[in-house]
Amino acid sequence: MKQFVLIRSFRPFTLFCAVTVAVCAVTAAVCVHRAEATAAVKSGLPLKGKIIAVDPGHGGPDPGAIGVTGTAEKEVNLVLAKKLKRLLEEKGAVVVMTRDSDKAFSDVKKEDLDHRAAIVKKSGAELFLSLQCNAVPNSALRGGQTFYFPGSDKGKRLAEAIQRRFVTKLKNTDREALTLSSAYIMSALDIPAVMVEVGFLSNPEEEALLKDDGYREKIVAAIYGGIRDYYREEKDAPSWLPFGAGRDKTP
Ligand SMILES: [Zn+2]
Protein backbone atom coordinates (compact mmCIF):
# COMPACT_ATOMS: atom_id res chain seq x y z
CA MET A 1 0.00 0.00 0.00
CA LYS A 2 2.77 2.31 1.00
CA GLN A 3 4.62 1.41 -2.16
CA PHE A 4 1.48 2.11 -4.20
CA VAL A 5 1.15 5.53 -2.60
CA LEU A 6 4.76 6.24 -3.34
CA ILE A 7 4.39 5.23 -6.98
CA ARG A 8 1.22 7.29 -7.39
CA SER A 9 2.87 10.36 -5.89
CA PHE A 10 6.08 9.76 -7.81
CA ARG A 11 4.47 9.85 -11.28
CA PRO A 12 2.92 13.33 -11.05
CA PHE A 13 6.13 14.60 -9.49
CA THR A 14 8.22 13.16 -12.33
CA LEU A 15 5.85 14.71 -14.82
CA PHE A 16 6.06 18.04 -12.99
CA CYS A 17 9.87 17.91 -13.06
CA ALA A 18 9.94 17.02 -16.76
CA VAL A 19 7.56 19.84 -17.65
CA THR A 20 9.52 22.30 -15.49
CA VAL A 21 12.82 21.32 -17.14
CA ALA A 22 11.27 21.63 -20.63
CA VAL A 23 9.76 25.03 -19.86
CA CYS A 24 13.07 26.23 -18.42
CA ALA A 25 14.95 25.02 -21.52
CA VAL A 26 12.59 26.78 -23.92
CA THR A 27 12.56 29.94 -21.79
CA ALA A 28 16.35 29.93 -21.64
CA ALA A 29 16.61 29.56 -25.44
CA VAL A 30 14.16 32.41 -26.04
CA CYS A 31 15.97 34.56 -23.47
CA VAL A 32 19.32 33.96 -25.18
CA HIS A 33 17.90 35.05 -28.55
CA ARG A 34 16.20 38.09 -26.99
CA ALA A 35 19.40 39.01 -25.18
CA GLU A 36 21.35 38.77 -28.46
CA ALA A 37 18.79 40.89 -30.28
CA THR A 38 18.68 43.45 -27.47
CA ALA A 39 22.46 43.61 -27.33
CA ALA A 40 22.58 44.11 -31.10
CA VAL A 41 19.95 46.84 -31.03
CA LYS A 42 21.66 48.63 -28.12
CA SER A 43 25.06 48.30 -29.74
CA GLY A 44 24.50 51.04 -32.31
CA LEU A 45 26.15 48.85 -34.95
CA PRO A 46 25.18 49.74 -38.55
CA LEU A 47 23.54 46.38 -39.34
CA LYS A 48 21.97 45.78 -35.93
CA GLY A 49 18.90 43.56 -36.11
CA LYS A 50 19.40 42.65 -39.80
CA ILE A 51 19.29 39.01 -40.92
CA ILE A 52 21.24 38.49 -44.15
CA ALA A 53 21.58 35.27 -46.17
CA VAL A 54 24.90 34.59 -47.92
CA ASP A 55 25.09 31.84 -50.52
CA PRO A 56 28.50 30.61 -51.69
CA GLY A 57 27.62 29.49 -55.21
CA HIS A 58 28.21 25.86 -56.32
CA GLY A 59 29.96 23.29 -54.04
CA GLY A 60 30.59 19.55 -53.77
CA PRO A 61 30.44 17.87 -57.19
CA ASP A 62 29.68 21.21 -58.86
CA PRO A 63 32.93 23.23 -59.00
CA GLY A 64 31.42 26.11 -60.96
CA ALA A 65 33.84 27.89 -63.29
CA ILE A 66 37.45 26.76 -63.45
CA GLY A 67 40.18 29.39 -63.71
CA VAL A 68 43.03 29.49 -66.20
CA THR A 69 45.37 27.83 -63.68
CA GLY A 70 42.70 25.52 -62.27
CA THR A 71 41.14 27.62 -59.51
CA ALA A 72 37.68 26.26 -58.70
CA GLU A 73 34.95 28.88 -58.39
CA LYS A 74 33.27 27.01 -55.53
CA GLU A 75 36.38 27.51 -53.36
CA VAL A 76 36.68 31.24 -54.07
CA ASN A 77 32.96 31.69 -53.39
CA LEU A 78 33.19 29.88 -50.05
CA VAL A 79 36.22 31.81 -48.80
CA LEU A 80 34.60 35.11 -49.76
CA ALA A 81 31.29 34.12 -48.15
CA LYS A 82 33.00 33.26 -44.87
CA LYS A 83 34.85 36.58 -44.90
CA LEU A 84 31.64 38.44 -45.69
CA LYS A 85 29.84 36.62 -42.88
CA ARG A 86 32.52 37.67 -40.38
CA LEU A 87 32.39 41.30 -41.51
CA LEU A 88 28.58 41.52 -41.50
CA GLU A 89 28.48 39.97 -38.02
CA GLU A 90 31.05 42.49 -36.80
CA LYS A 91 28.64 45.16 -38.04
CA GLY A 92 25.75 43.70 -36.03
CA ALA A 93 23.98 41.46 -38.60
CA VAL A 94 22.88 37.88 -38.09
CA VAL A 95 24.22 35.95 -41.10
CA VAL A 96 22.80 32.71 -42.48
CA MET A 97 24.99 30.71 -44.86
CA THR A 98 23.47 28.23 -47.31
CA ARG A 99 26.65 26.14 -47.02
CA ASP A 100 29.82 26.50 -44.94
CA SER A 101 31.80 23.62 -46.41
CA ASP A 102 32.51 22.07 -49.81
CA LYS A 103 29.17 20.41 -50.41
CA ALA A 104 25.97 20.41 -52.44
CA PHE A 105 22.58 19.27 -51.15
CA SER A 106 21.90 17.24 -54.29
CA ASP A 107 23.59 16.21 -57.52
CA VAL A 108 20.53 17.64 -59.25
CA LYS A 109 21.07 21.39 -59.57
CA LYS A 110 17.44 22.41 -59.07
CA GLU A 111 17.16 20.28 -55.90
CA ASP A 112 20.36 21.82 -54.57
CA LEU A 113 19.03 25.33 -55.21
CA ASP A 114 15.60 24.46 -53.74
CA HIS A 115 17.34 23.31 -50.56
CA ARG A 116 19.34 26.54 -50.37
CA ALA A 117 16.19 28.61 -50.93
CA ALA A 118 14.46 26.67 -48.13
CA ILE A 119 17.33 27.49 -45.74
CA VAL A 120 17.00 31.18 -46.61
CA LYS A 121 13.20 31.19 -46.19
CA LYS A 122 13.35 29.37 -42.85
CA SER A 123 15.95 31.78 -41.52
CA GLY A 124 13.75 34.86 -41.87
CA ALA A 125 16.52 36.61 -43.82
CA GLU A 126 15.59 39.96 -45.36
CA LEU A 127 18.37 40.09 -47.98
CA PHE A 128 19.96 37.37 -50.11
CA LEU A 129 23.39 37.53 -51.72
CA SER A 130 24.79 34.73 -53.86
CA LEU A 131 28.55 34.99 -54.38
CA GLN A 132 29.80 33.80 -57.77
CA CYS A 133 32.75 34.09 -60.17
CA ASN A 134 32.39 34.74 -63.87
CA ALA A 135 34.09 32.88 -66.72
CA VAL A 136 33.79 33.54 -70.46
CA PRO A 137 35.75 32.58 -73.58
CA ASN A 138 37.11 36.13 -73.92
CA SER A 139 40.00 36.18 -71.41
CA ALA A 140 40.28 39.97 -71.59
CA LEU A 141 37.03 40.57 -69.69
CA ARG A 142 37.37 41.38 -65.99
CA GLY A 143 35.67 43.11 -63.06
CA GLY A 144 32.64 42.72 -60.82
CA GLN A 145 29.06 42.46 -62.02
CA THR A 146 25.88 42.37 -59.96
CA PHE A 147 22.52 40.98 -61.13
CA TYR A 148 18.98 41.26 -59.79
CA PHE A 149 15.71 39.56 -60.70
CA PRO A 150 13.57 41.52 -63.19
CA GLY A 151 10.75 43.41 -61.49
CA SER A 152 12.39 43.42 -58.06
CA ASP A 153 12.72 47.09 -57.17
CA LYS A 154 14.60 46.52 -53.93
CA GLY A 155 16.76 43.85 -55.52
CA LYS A 156 17.66 46.42 -58.17
CA ARG A 157 18.61 49.02 -55.59
CA LEU A 158 20.73 46.50 -53.66
CA ALA A 159 22.49 45.34 -56.85
CA GLU A 160 23.09 48.96 -57.90
CA ALA A 161 24.49 49.86 -54.48
CA ILE A 162 27.00 46.98 -54.55
CA GLN A 163 27.89 47.65 -58.20
CA ARG A 164 28.61 51.32 -57.36
CA ARG A 165 31.06 50.15 -54.69
CA PHE A 166 32.79 47.91 -57.23
CA VAL A 167 33.14 50.89 -59.56
CA THR A 168 34.19 53.50 -56.99
CA LYS A 169 36.10 51.50 -54.35
CA LEU A 170 37.28 48.27 -55.91
CA LYS A 171 37.79 50.10 -59.21
CA ASN A 172 37.71 46.87 -61.21
CA THR A 173 34.84 47.75 -63.55
CA ASP A 174 32.65 50.50 -64.97
CA ARG A 175 29.66 48.22 -65.51
CA GLU A 176 26.14 48.79 -64.22
CA ALA A 177 23.89 46.33 -62.38
CA LEU A 178 21.87 44.14 -64.77
CA THR A 179 18.73 42.04 -64.66
CA LEU A 180 19.03 38.25 -64.78
CA SER A 181 15.89 36.17 -65.20
CA SER A 182 17.64 32.80 -65.54
CA ALA A 183 18.95 32.62 -61.95
CA TYR A 184 16.53 30.10 -60.47
CA ILE A 185 17.31 30.75 -56.82
CA MET A 186 16.46 34.46 -57.13
CA SER A 187 13.09 33.58 -58.64
CA ALA A 188 12.44 31.17 -55.75
CA LEU A 189 12.85 33.88 -53.09
CA ASP A 190 10.56 36.76 -52.20
CA ILE A 191 13.18 38.98 -50.57
CA PRO A 192 15.62 41.36 -52.32
CA ALA A 193 18.12 39.02 -53.97
CA VAL A 194 21.39 39.72 -55.77
CA MET A 195 23.90 37.59 -57.64
CA VAL A 196 27.34 39.05 -57.08
CA GLU A 197 29.83 37.97 -59.75
CA VAL A 198 33.03 39.16 -58.09
CA GLY A 199 35.31 38.79 -61.11
CA PHE A 200 36.38 36.63 -64.06
CA LEU A 201 38.34 33.44 -63.42
CA SER A 202 38.86 33.32 -67.20
CA ASN A 203 41.11 36.40 -66.94
CA PRO A 204 44.60 35.28 -65.74
CA GLU A 205 45.32 38.49 -63.83
CA GLU A 206 41.95 38.51 -62.15
CA GLU A 207 42.21 34.83 -61.30
CA ALA A 208 45.46 35.61 -59.45
CA LEU A 209 43.73 38.51 -57.65
CA LEU A 210 40.79 36.32 -56.65
CA LYS A 211 43.29 34.01 -54.91
CA ASP A 212 44.92 36.92 -53.07
CA ASP A 213 43.77 37.37 -49.48
CA GLY A 214 44.18 41.16 -49.50
CA TYR A 215 42.10 41.50 -52.65
CA ARG A 216 39.46 39.18 -51.21
CA GLU A 217 39.21 41.49 -48.19
CA LYS A 218 38.65 44.43 -50.55
CA ILE A 219 35.88 42.60 -52.41
CA VAL A 220 34.12 41.80 -49.15
CA ALA A 221 34.51 45.40 -47.92
CA ALA A 222 32.97 46.64 -51.19
CA ILE A 223 30.00 44.28 -50.85
CA TYR A 224 29.48 45.36 -47.24
CA GLY A 225 29.68 49.02 -48.30
CA GLY A 226 26.97 48.38 -50.88
CA ILE A 227 24.71 46.70 -48.33
CA ARG A 228 25.17 49.63 -45.97
CA ASP A 229 24.43 52.14 -48.74
CA TYR A 230 21.28 50.18 -49.60
CA TYR A 231 19.97 50.38 -46.03
CA ARG A 232 20.81 54.09 -45.83
CA GLU A 233 18.88 54.73 -49.05
CA GLU A 234 15.94 52.63 -47.82
CA LYS A 235 15.85 54.65 -44.60
CA ASP A 236 15.95 57.95 -46.47
CA ALA A 237 13.36 56.98 -49.11
CA PRO A 238 10.17 59.02 -48.50
CA SER A 239 7.30 56.70 -47.56
CA TRP A 240 4.80 58.77 -49.58
CA LEU A 241 6.37 57.91 -52.95
CA PRO A 242 4.15 55.84 -55.27
CA PHE A 243 5.03 52.23 -56.11
CA GLY A 244 8.10 51.98 -58.31
CA ALA A 245 9.45 55.36 -57.22
CA GLY A 246 10.58 54.56 -53.69
CA ARG A 247 9.38 52.01 -51.19
CA ASP A 248 7.06 49.45 -52.67
CA LYS A 249 5.75 45.96 -52.20
CA THR A 250 8.12 44.27 -54.62
CA PRO A 251 11.12 42.54 -53.06
ZN1 LIG B 1 28.86 30.45 -60.58
Side-chain angles (χ1 to χ4, degrees):
M1 185 65 187
K2 195 178 178 185
Q3 191 179 10
F4 177 68
V5 170
L6 276 174
I7 289 168
R8 282 193 62 179
S9 62
F10 176 75
R11 280 180 178 162
F13 182 69
T14 306
L15 182 64
F16 171 76
C17 288
V19 169
T20 305
V21 168
V23 168
C24 286
V26 170
T27 307
V30 171
C31 286
V32 166
H33 281 109
R34 280 195 185 146
E36 282 174 0
T38 307
V41 169
K42 283 182 177 170
S43 67
L45 293 169
L47 296 181
K48 61 189 178 186
K50 311 292 187 194
I51 305 174
I52 299 174
V54 176
D55 171 51
H58 310 279
D62 171 17
I66 301 292
V68 190
T69 66
T71 308
E73 180 194 349
K74 65 177 183 177
E75 288 164 15
V76 177
N77 296 343
L78 183 58
V79 172
L80 287 173
K82 285 181 176 176
K83 282 183 183 292
L84 181 61
K85 179 179 190 284
R86 267 200 300 277
L87 180 56
L88 296 178
E89 285 175 344
E90 274 173 31
K91 304 298 181 183
V94 172
V95 177
V96 180
M97 300 263 283
T98 55
R99 69 175 175 102
D100 56 9
S101 61
D102 181 19
K103 67 174 181 187
F105 298 99
S106 169
D107 292 345
V108 180
K109 190 69 182 171
K110 184 179 175 297
E111 287 177 8
D112 178 49
L113 295 176
D114 277 334
H115 195 106
R116 293 179 196 228
I119 291 171
V120 176
K121 285 176 185 171
K122 196 177 167 192
S123 74
E126 58 195 84
L127 293 184
F128 171 81
L129 296 102
S130 184
L131 303 189
Q132 306 277 340
C133 299
N134 241 324
V136 291
N138 180 355
S139 63
L141 288 183
R142 60 186 300 161
Q145 175 71 67
T146 58
F147 295 96
Y148 59 96
F149 198 68
S152 170
D153 215 40
K154 290 185 179 180
K156 179 174 190 272
R157 289 202 289 276
L158 177 60
E160 286 175 344
I162 295 170
Q163 189 70 41
R164 272 198 303 277
R165 288 278 177 163
F166 282 164
V167 173
T168 60
K169 300 292 180 189
L170 204 56
K171 295 183 171 36
N172 71 0
T173 180
D174 55 3
R175 295 192 189 88
E176 294 182 351
L178 298 172
T179 57
L180 182 67
S181 58
S182 58
Y184 173 73
I185 196 162
M186 290 204 295
S187 70
L189 297 170
D190 56 4
I191 54 174
V194 173
M195 304 286 284
V196 184
E197 299 275 0
V198 297
F200 288 78
L201 283 173
S202 44
N203 178 305
E205 278 178 37
E206 196 154 61
E207 184 195 21
L209 282 171
L210 290 169
K211 288 162 70 177
D212 179 80
D213 199 58
Y215 189 74
R216 287 170 167 176
E217 295 288 344
K218 286 182 184 173
I219 290 175
V220 164
I223 295 171
Y224 161 66
I227 294 170
R228 193 156 175 206
D229 292 345
Y230 165 81
Y231 277 122
R232 278 204 196 106
E233 289 160 16
E234 285 295 293
K235 201 174 153 204
D236 294 342
S239 57
W240 49 264
L241 285 174
F243 289 162
R247 294 175 188 277
D248 65 15
K249 285 182 178 176
T250 59

